[in-house]
């Protein structure tokens, strides 16, 4: 997908991580090409078997954003941001379509074997266990997605404060999926809070 508008800036990884803060007020403008580039970068995240169980529903329609906000304890960042990405994992779709993600590097026979491995591993789990598996993988993508957005000069806030059932119903998502997060994205219209983190000494042991 071509990026039509030039990317305003590209930060180093260090700078993108340092300057990412949860942002809850946004400017309304964001070229769709930039959003697509951020999503593309995020999909380069790793996943078990390269299965890529993540899926996106990008909400841009003002009326749907309003309803999404209502399903999210009325958190106003959803309608403030030009886009809210609903990031979810779909293990059932992943299982059905494993041939699509099986790497050409394996060759034709190898690809079939890889599909069988994925099917064997996932089909011994229950639907709920598979959903959790997909959610774990999708959380890895979510981290990459936030850093990718910041790296291209955009801001986000990850959100778990929403009603899964209401959001699934609103967006017509299958019952079996887990929504990993809602992610409003756009250009910050506030500074956000400075980081407040544990020291490394508090949380790290060398053994
Ligand atoms: C899984 C997850 C769920 C979160 N849910 C919400 C939320 O529903 N609403 C909100 O305003 N912030 C939410 N946050 C943002 C956190 O409050 C924020 O990341 C944290 O305070 C650290 O601040 P920072 O992101 O600015 O570094 C969530 C963050 C994560 C990682």
């Amino acid at each position: 997908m071509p990026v039509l508008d030039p990317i305003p800036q590209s930060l180093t990884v260090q700078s993108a991580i340092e300057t990412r803060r949860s942002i809850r007020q946004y400017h309304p403008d964001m070229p769709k090409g930039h959003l697509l580039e951020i999503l593309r970068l995020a999909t380069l995240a790793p996943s078990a078997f390269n299965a890529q169980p993540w899926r996106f529903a990008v909400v841009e329609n003002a009326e749907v954003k309003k309803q999404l906000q209502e399903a999210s304890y009325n958190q106003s960042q959803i309608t403030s941001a030009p886009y809210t990405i609903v990031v979810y994992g779909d293990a059932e779709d992943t299982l059905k379509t494993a041939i699509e993600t099986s790497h050409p590097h394996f060759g034709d026979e190898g690809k079939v074997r890889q599909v069988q491995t994925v099917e064997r591993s996932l089909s011994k789990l229950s639907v709920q266990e598979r959903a959790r598996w997909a959610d774990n993988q999708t959380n890895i993508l979510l981290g990459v997605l936030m850093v990718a957005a910041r790296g291209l000069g955009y801001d986000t806030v990850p959100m778990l404060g929403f009603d899964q059932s209401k959001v699934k119903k609103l967006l017509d998502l299958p019952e079996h999926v887990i929504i990993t997060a809602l992610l409003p994205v756009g250009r910050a219209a506030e500074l956000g809070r400075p980081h407040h983190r544990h020291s490394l000494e508090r949380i790290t042991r060398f053994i």
Side-chain angles (χ1 to χ4, degrees):
M1 188 83 58
V3 179
L4 302 175
D5 301 270
I7 297 288
Q9 55 177 318
S10 186
L11 306 185
T12 62
V13 171
Q14 188 176 20
S15 177
I17 292 170
E18 291 269 14
T19 61
R20 188 212 56 79
R21 290 171 180 183
S22 288
I23 293 298
R24 298 174 180 87
Q25 286 175 42
Y26 293 90
H27 294 290
D29 55 302
M30 177 173 185
K32 197 174 269 184
H34 292 183
L35 177 80
L36 291 170
E37 175 62 358
I38 290 165
L39 289 176
R40 188 191 70 80
L41 289 171
T43 64
L44 301 182
S47 56
F49 310 119
N50 193 39
Q52 307 164 53
W54 40 72
R55 304 289 182 266
F56 308 118
V58 182
V59 181
E60 56 181 341
N61 176 279
E63 182 50 37
V64 182
K65 273 198 283 184
K66 205 162 141 255
Q67 292 172 41
L68 189 58
Q69 178 168 318
E70 280 161 20
S72 308
Y73 309 105
N74 216 25
Q75 297 193 69
S76 60
Q77 55 266 31
I78 292 180
T79 49
S80 175
Y83 301 100
T84 291
I85 309 167
V86 178
V87 182
Y88 65 98
D90 189 340
E92 301 312 303
D93 188 40
T94 301
L95 184 54
K96 271 191 286 177
T97 57
I99 191 69
E100 291 175 31
T101 50
S102 188
H103 203 292
H105 163 87
F106 293 127
D108 286 345
E109 279 176 31
K111 279 178 70 167
V112 172
R113 272 199 304 277
Q114 167 79 353
V115 169
Q116 286 165 347
T117 306
V118 174
E119 286 173 351
R120 233 188 354 262
S121 306
L122 291 186
S123 57
K124 63 183 178 216
L125 303 177
S126 68
V127 171
Q128 286 85 354
E129 286 168 335
R130 273 202 293 277
R132 275 199 297 278
W133 175 89
D135 183 46
N136 287 341
Q137 310 288 318
T138 305
N139 267 297
I140 296 171
L141 167 128
L142 179 65
V144 177
L145 176 50
M146 290 186 281
V147 173
R150 183 82 281 278
L152 299 191
Y154 289 97
D155 295 279
T156 57
V157 52
M159 293 177 60
L160 270 185
F162 62 90
D163 184 314
Q164 285 270 342
S165 308
K166 284 188 187 164
V167 175
K168 280 193 228 175
K169 199 160 167 222
L170 174 67
L171 303 178
D172 204 19
L173 300 180
E175 188 47 45
H176 61 256
V177 310
I178 293 181
I179 299 169
T180 303
L182 307 189
L183 194 73
V185 57
R187 265 190 326 111
E190 63 165 0
L191 288 176
R193 302 181 199 127
H195 291 136
H196 174 65
R197 295 294 193 266
H198 278 309
S199 69
L200 267 189
E201 292 72 27
R202 168 75 178 76
I203 58 170
T204 309
R205 286 197 307 146
F206 286 88
I207 296 151

